Amino acid sequence: MAKQRVVVLGPTTDDPLHHERAEMADFDVEFVQEAPKSEGEAIEAVRGADAIMMQGGWGTEQVIRAADAAKVLAVYSHGFNHIDVDAATDMGIIVTNGAGMCAEEVSNQAVTMALSLNRQIVQTTNQLRDTGDWSNAPFLPIEPIDEQTLGIVGFGNIGRQVARKLGQGWRMDTLVFDPYVAPWIISEYNVEQVFEINELFKRSDYIVVVVPLNAETFHMIGKKQFDVMKKSAYYINVCRGSVNDEPALIEALQQGKMRGAGLDVFEQEPVDPGNPLLQMENVITAMHLAGSSTRSAWLARQRASQQVAAVL
């Protein structure tokens, strides 16, 4: 078999690519590492490649159309909203993602945020650290989480782990909104499926959003959903910032339409330090690190490499 050219687009050109090489050890493959600083450099890098492994950006239409020989484009992440999938489809290029590589990590982040919001851990820590004030009145009432209702938007790998941990582990009644999930999955996880997203927002005490960002999910959550929430409910987003309408979320929090939020992601990343969400005491945040762990780091490489190998 003729040698196949696998172009790895990343931040550096001296990556040892241990997992990539191991997964394709039985192939006659030439690895070419490129660290493009511009779209033009990325276009030149992908010409003639049989496979593209993309650790960062440059998934634009122009770059993809330049990949005239490519059979597969693999991203290392769960999300692939930075890839022009329509252009790849036109070119006959299979796009793969790292599905499952950080399901435990992202679900853990959602669970951690839910428990932290329930027990007001961040807020009480900040008060004691900043003022030494021992008054706990601002953080009450604390409802027992095992008597609360969990709503999960998106019931893929991550959503199912959230249900397993909070629904089964913490005994929360669990609602699911996902029009694509198979009925036997609903039965297996002992959750209740709802078919209107507003119903989930109306009934839930904790709402966890774990859907991919695409044309269908862009701003799927906004004013209409926040308006029907319980004033005592919490909203948690650990997928992509643009799944929700961020100005509408800010307004809902400012107007007390919900009790608080946990956000791992923002519409603009890195987030503007002046973003009102960073100033709200009832909002806990992170810098898009829900999927991060030492395990997910190597799993991302393994999954991307396995999928390229499968196509080649």
Side-chain angles (χ1 to χ4, degrees):
M1 183 174 64
K3 180 171 286 191
Q4 294 175 302
R5 189 165 178 264
V6 178
V7 173
V8 181
L9 299 184
T12 179
T13 58
D14 57 1
D15 189 322
L17 301 177
H18 292 310
H19 289 88
E20 292 83 348
R21 296 183 190 280
E23 293 295 336
M24 285 178 258
D26 294 334
F27 292 82
D28 189 7
V29 167
E30 174 193 10
F31 284 96
V32 179
Q33 295 189 66
E34 300 284 354
K37 299 294 189 295
S38 67
E39 185 178 61
E41 290 184 5
I43 287 171
E44 292 305 316
V46 301
R47 294 191 193 280
D50 295 285
I52 303 164
M53 302 188 71
M54 197 167 285
Q55 295 178 338
W58 311 117
T60 64
E61 177 182 1
Q62 290 76 12
V63 173
I64 290 171
R65 293 200 181 280
D68 50 350
K71 304 173 184 67
V72 58
L73 187 160
V75 300
Y76 285 70
S77 58
H78 248 281
F80 53 92
N81 50 286
H82 57 297
I83 305 298
D84 191 324
V85 177
D86 290 337
T89 301
D90 288 343
M91 296 290 291
I93 300 171
I94 297 173
V95 177
T96 72
N97 72 331
M101 44 75 70
C102 59
E104 290 288 352
E105 286 77 5
V106 178
S107 59
N108 285 344
Q109 186 85 339
V111 170
T112 300
M113 285 184 159
L115 296 175
S116 296
L117 289 165
N118 174 257
R119 301 306 307 179
Q120 301 287 294
I121 296 299
V122 175
Q123 292 85 347
T124 53
T125 296
N126 288 342
Q127 177 171 300
L128 285 172
R129 178 186 294 130
D130 297 342
T131 69
D133 183 359
W134 193 253
S135 172
N136 60 22
F139 312 110
L140 302 176
I142 297 176
E143 301 289 348
I145 201 166
D146 56 294
E147 296 180 2
Q148 302 277 280
T149 296
L150 169 67
I152 304 174
V153 180
F155 207 52
N157 289 321
I158 299 169
R160 296 171 199 179
Q161 296 310 312
V162 174
R164 177 175 65 83
K165 293 167 184 177
L166 283 177
Q168 298 173 19
W170 270 268
R171 306 188 306 281
M172 299 183 75
D173 291 335
T174 303
L175 309 176
V176 168
F177 173 76
D178 188 331
Y180 301 106
V181 69
W184 55 86
I185 298 296
I186 296 295
S187 176
E188 177 184 348
Y189 283 85
N190 194 30
V191 297
E192 177 186 348
Q193 186 173 20
V194 298
F195 297 94
E196 295 291 338
I197 192 171
N198 284 6
E199 180 184 352
L200 181 141
F201 272 75
K202 185 181 298 184
R203 294 173 55 189
S204 300
D205 298 295
Y206 292 79
I207 296 162
V208 175
V209 184
V210 278
V211 297
L213 176 61
N214 54 39
E216 184 178 4
T217 62
F218 177 79
H219 282 191
M220 70 179 293
I221 297 167
K223 185 178 187 302
K224 291 181 179 179
Q225 288 69 47
F226 298 136
D227 281 351
V228 300
M229 285 180 67
K230 301 176 183 180
K231 292 184 182 298
S232 58
Y234 294 102
Y235 175 79
I236 297 167
N237 185 354
V238 290
C239 54
R240 289 294 186 271
S242 292
V243 164
N244 55 233
D245 181 341
E246 195 167 284
L249 173 61
I250 292 169
E251 181 180 345
L253 285 160
Q254 291 173 334
Q255 295 180 357
K257 293 180 179 177
M258 67 184 80
R259 189 171 179 185
L263 305 172
D264 187 71
V265 290
F266 298 85
E267 288 218 61
Q268 174 191 326
E269 295 182 355
V271 65
D272 184 341
N275 189 316
L277 292 167
L278 302 182
Q279 318 307 322
M280 297 180 183
E281 294 184 1
N282 59 342
V283 177
I284 61 176
T285 60
M287 55 289 292
H288 200 150
L289 52 70
S292 300
S293 79
T294 53
R295 177 178 58 193
S296 65
W298 67 259
L299 264 179
R301 291 176 176 270
Q302 184 184 68
R303 294 286 166 85
S305 306
Q306 288 171 339
Q307 291 174 344
V308 169
V311 174
L312 293 182

